[in-house]
């Protein structure tokens, strides 16, 4: 079945550092790919998505490119802020719109 | 954006008791609600899908008599963990979608600890 593998955290960075959170997937067909973010005490929110190969999703300075050849959807940000501290979930959605999630990666950004 | 309220955010109970978790859509009609469970350092695992007014559809391996789901209205779904045991301790999170089914909105989750 479908599955998502993302790097284990926590990822700890200083403010303004470059962020990469790796995500790879296994799925049949051509799934849509998502990154969700969960800030402390809040529900998951959709951060960005890409629906087909080579699409780039972007939002709030975060980007991820749908790479079918490597089955990856790595999340990147050029300069993180303390306010980006959260848990980030990579997910995919195949035939149904119900997403399959990765385990989540905690990001901690220090001033 | 749409808001889903889930409570309690944290609950501690004794083994053998039942615990009810509520999930409310505050500003839209949630035709479909989903319940997930997350073990530490594991993925969010879909437990069940419920449509308003009908019985929930449980994922394989999830005991429907253990995890009772009620979706009696378009704004409220409840998950009741019956006769809770320590192995039921986990993080439970609900999500809801509206009529268009294009987006999911998540509650903030409930951390259940069974002593």
């Amino acid at each position: 079945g479908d599955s998502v593998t993302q790097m284990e955290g926590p990822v700890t960075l200083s403010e303004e550092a470059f962020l990469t959170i790796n995500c790879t997937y296994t799925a049949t067909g051509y799934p849509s790919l998502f990154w969700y973010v969960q800030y402390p005490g809040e529900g998951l929110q959709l951060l960005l998505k890409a629906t087909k190969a080579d699409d780039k999703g972007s939002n709030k300075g975060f980007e991820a490119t749908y790479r079918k050849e490597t089955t990856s959807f790595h999340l990147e940000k050029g300069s993180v802020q303390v306010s980006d501290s959260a848990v980030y979930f990579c997910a995919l959605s195949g035939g149904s719109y119900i997403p399959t999630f990765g385990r989540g990666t905690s990001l901690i950004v220090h001033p | 954006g749409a808001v889903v309220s889930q409570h309690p955010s944290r609950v501690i109970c004794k083994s053998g008791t039942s615990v009810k978790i509520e999930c409310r859509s505050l500003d839209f009609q949630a035709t479909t609600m989903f319940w997930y469970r997350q073990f530490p350092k594991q993925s969010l695992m879909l437990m069940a899908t419920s449509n308003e007014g009908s019985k929930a559809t449980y994922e394989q391996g999830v005991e429907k008599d253990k995890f009772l789901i009620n979706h009696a209205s378009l704004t409220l779904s409840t998950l009741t963990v019956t006769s809770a045991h320590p192995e039921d301790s986990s993080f439970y999170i609900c999500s809801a979608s509206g009529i268009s089914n294009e987006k999911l909105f998540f509650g903030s989750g409930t951390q259940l600890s069974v002593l």
Side-chain angles (χ1 to χ4, degrees), chain A residues 45-62:
Chain A
Q45 304 170 28
L46 180 63
L47 179 61
L48 54 85
K49 69 177 183 181
T51 57
K52 61 183 188 295
D54 299 326
D55 265 5
K56 178 185 285 188
S58 61
N59 185 24
K60 299 181 181 180
F62 291 90

Side-chain angles (χ1 to χ4, degrees), chain B residues 33-36 45-50 56-59 62 67 69:
Chain B
M33 286 192 171
F34 307 89
W35 287 95
Y36 289 86
M45 180 191 77
L46 180 65
M47 298 174 65
T49 303
S50 72
T57 301
Y58 290 81
E59 296 298 302
V62 178
F67 299 100
I69 292 172

Side-chain angles (χ1 to χ4, degrees), chain B residues 64-98:
Chain B
K64 61 181 180 181
D65 295 328
K66 173 77 171 174
F67 299 100
L68 300 179
I69 292 172
N70 183 283
H71 190 171
S73 79
L74 284 171
T75 60
L76 174 64
S77 176
T78 61
L79 167 67
T80 301
V81 182
T82 62
S83 187
H85 287 98
E87 58 264 31
D88 299 325
S89 298
S90 191
F91 184 73
Y92 295 87
I93 192 165
C94 70
S95 67
S97 67

Side-chain angles (χ1 to χ4, degrees), chain A residues 58-78:
Chain A
S58 61
N59 185 24
K60 299 181 181 180
F62 291 90
E63 292 183 339
T65 301
Y66 189 142
R67 301 285 189 202
K68 188 163 177 61
E69 64 276 14
T70 54
T71 61
S72 65
F73 193 54
H74 304 323
L75 182 68
E76 297 181 336
K77 186 174 185 182

Side-chain angles (χ1 to χ4, degrees), chain B:
Chain B
V3 177
V4 173
S5 173
Q6 181 176 345
H7 75 90
S9 59
R10 192 172 193 87
V11 58
I12 301 172
C13 69
K14 292 183 178 180
S15 187
T17 60
S18 294
V19 174
K20 180 184 284 187
I21 302 170
E22 290 190 349
C23 182
R24 294 180 184 273
S25 58
L26 298 184
D27 53 2
F28 69 102
Q29 293 184 328
T31 52
T32 306
M33 286 192 171
F34 307 89
W35 287 95
Y36 289 86
R37 179 176 182 177
Q38 185 182 30
F39 294 100
K41 299 187 178 182
Q42 300 293 317
S43 303
L44 283 169
M45 180 191 77
L46 180 65
M47 298 174 65
T49 303
S50 72
N51 293 295
E52 182 266 337
S54 59
K55 289 184 178 179
T57 301
Y58 290 81
E59 296 298 302
Q60 191 173 8
V62 178
E63 299 176 60
K64 61 181 180 181
D65 295 328
K66 173 77 171 174
F67 299 100
L68 300 179
I69 292 172
N70 183 283
H71 190 171
S73 79
L74 284 171
T75 60
L76 174 64
S77 176
T78 61
L79 167 67
T80 301
V81 182
T82 62
S83 187
H85 287 98
E87 58 264 31
D88 299 325
S89 298
S90 191
F91 184 73
Y92 295 87
I93 192 165
C94 70
S95 67
S97 67
I99 295 173
S100 65
N101 283 343
E102 289 183 352
K103 268 186 101 171
L104 285 181
F105 302 96
F106 286 83
S108 54
T110 298
Q111 183 64 52
L112 170 64
S113 300
V114 184
L115 305 178

